Amino acid sequence: MFKKLASEALGLSDIGSIIQPKDFGSVDADDYLFHEDGEKIFFLIKSKKDEYCFTNLALMHVDGDSAVSSKRTIRRHEYADCAIGTVTIETAGTVDMDVELKFSIGGTTFSIDVRKQFLEQLKDVYKALIAISRLQDRDETARQNALKVLGAMSSMYKVSQIGLARDLPDQFNALLDNLNQTVLDRHTRRDFGEVFSRYIHG
């Protein structure tokens, strides 16, 4: 107990370590994953207080009050809904014990201190987050373009109702339904497992 209190007082409880894949099953975050939907952990940073779990679908933050408390709050940030931005790494100085990964996701800012011996692995998740951010930007452009097409299709549908062939409204309705379903399929559940596999090397 004294070690935990001292660690908390010195701020050492906030410095995380990178957990190896063989140990993913023993972390708290694993209990809250949607394993049934194919969700899996690709990268995990753990301190005495917190866990930052990067899965193919979301960032899971197991948020602890302190190193001496067992109380935890589970927060989930879906990549499909939460844009990633401002990704940076702050390397260690001569006397520093840690490096720092900073990024925002869906308006929430994270600043995660990690022991400096893990810098090489931290570079991997840095690259993965930037790659995901780029894909999210591209997805948003595609979504906006799809919405414009939906709007144009709706206008055509209104025109088709005025004395044109009887089957045209049915055709337009079918096209609208298909396009709407495509937009939903692409943008309501975004799996970035391939991105993490490309950049994270264990």
Side-chain angles (χ1 to χ4, degrees):
M1 175 62 91
F2 176 75
K3 282 186 177 180
K4 286 186 177 180
L5 287 170
S7 179
E8 182 77 12
L10 294 171
L12 300 179
S13 61
D14 289 332
I15 301 178
S17 299
I18 293 173
I19 304 302
Q20 297 305 305
K22 65 182 178 63
D23 298 318
F24 285 166
S26 64
V27 298
D28 291 338
D30 186 64
D31 295 334
Y32 300 95
L33 264 60
F34 288 86
H35 295 286
E36 302 84 352
D37 298 329
E39 185 172 28
K40 65 181 207 173
I41 300 171
F42 280 87
F43 197 84
L44 195 137
I45 301 169
K46 181 179 176 64
S47 68
K48 286 186 170 63
K49 290 170 56 175
D50 298 292
E51 290 177 6
Y52 304 91
C53 175
F54 299 86
T55 80
N56 50 321
L57 303 178
L59 167 66
M60 295 277 298
H61 180 201
V62 181
D63 189 357
D65 285 346
S66 69
V68 295
S69 171
S70 60
K71 184 177 179 179
R72 299 288 183 265
T73 301
I74 314 302
R75 295 186 171 90
R76 183 179 177 89
H77 305 269
E78 298 274 353
Y79 305 136
D81 304 320
C82 303
I84 293 171
T86 58
V87 185
T88 62
I89 285 183
E90 185 177 302
T91 60
T94 306
V95 297
D96 294 326
M97 297 178 60
D98 62 304
V99 294
E100 196 168 3
L101 175 68
K102 297 181 181 180
F103 61 94
S104 64
I105 180 167
T108 301
T109 301
F110 287 92
S111 181
I112 306 171
D113 296 321
V114 180
R115 297 184 188 283
K116 63 182 179 181
Q117 65 262 35
F118 294 110
L119 176 59
E120 290 306 312
Q121 291 115 301
L122 206 63
K123 290 176 184 177
D124 292 342
V125 79
Y126 164 83
K127 292 177 184 177
L129 291 175
I130 289 179
I132 290 172
S133 177
R134 290 171 177 166
L135 289 171
Q136 287 176 325
D137 287 343
R138 190 189 70 178
D139 285 349
E140 180 58 22
T141 299
R143 190 180 74 85
Q144 291 300 327
N145 289 338
L147 291 174
K148 289 176 184 177
V149 172
L150 278 171
M153 295 289 289
S154 296
S155 298
M156 292 172 68
Y157 170 76
K158 289 175 185 176
V159 171
S160 73
Q161 290 180 313
I162 307 173
L164 297 179
R166 290 181 180 178
D167 63 339
L168 277 178
D170 291 336
Q171 292 176 19
F172 281 127
N173 278 333
L175 285 170
L176 286 169
D177 287 344
N178 287 337
L179 186 55
N180 188 49
Q181 189 61 50
T182 299
V183 172
L184 290 173
D185 290 343
R186 287 186 180 177
H187 300 289
T188 57
R189 184 183 185 273
R190 193 65 163 90
D191 189 323
F192 287 103
E194 184 179 329
V195 176
F196 282 113
S197 295
R198 187 183 315 139
Y199 291 103
I200 293 175
H201 308 292

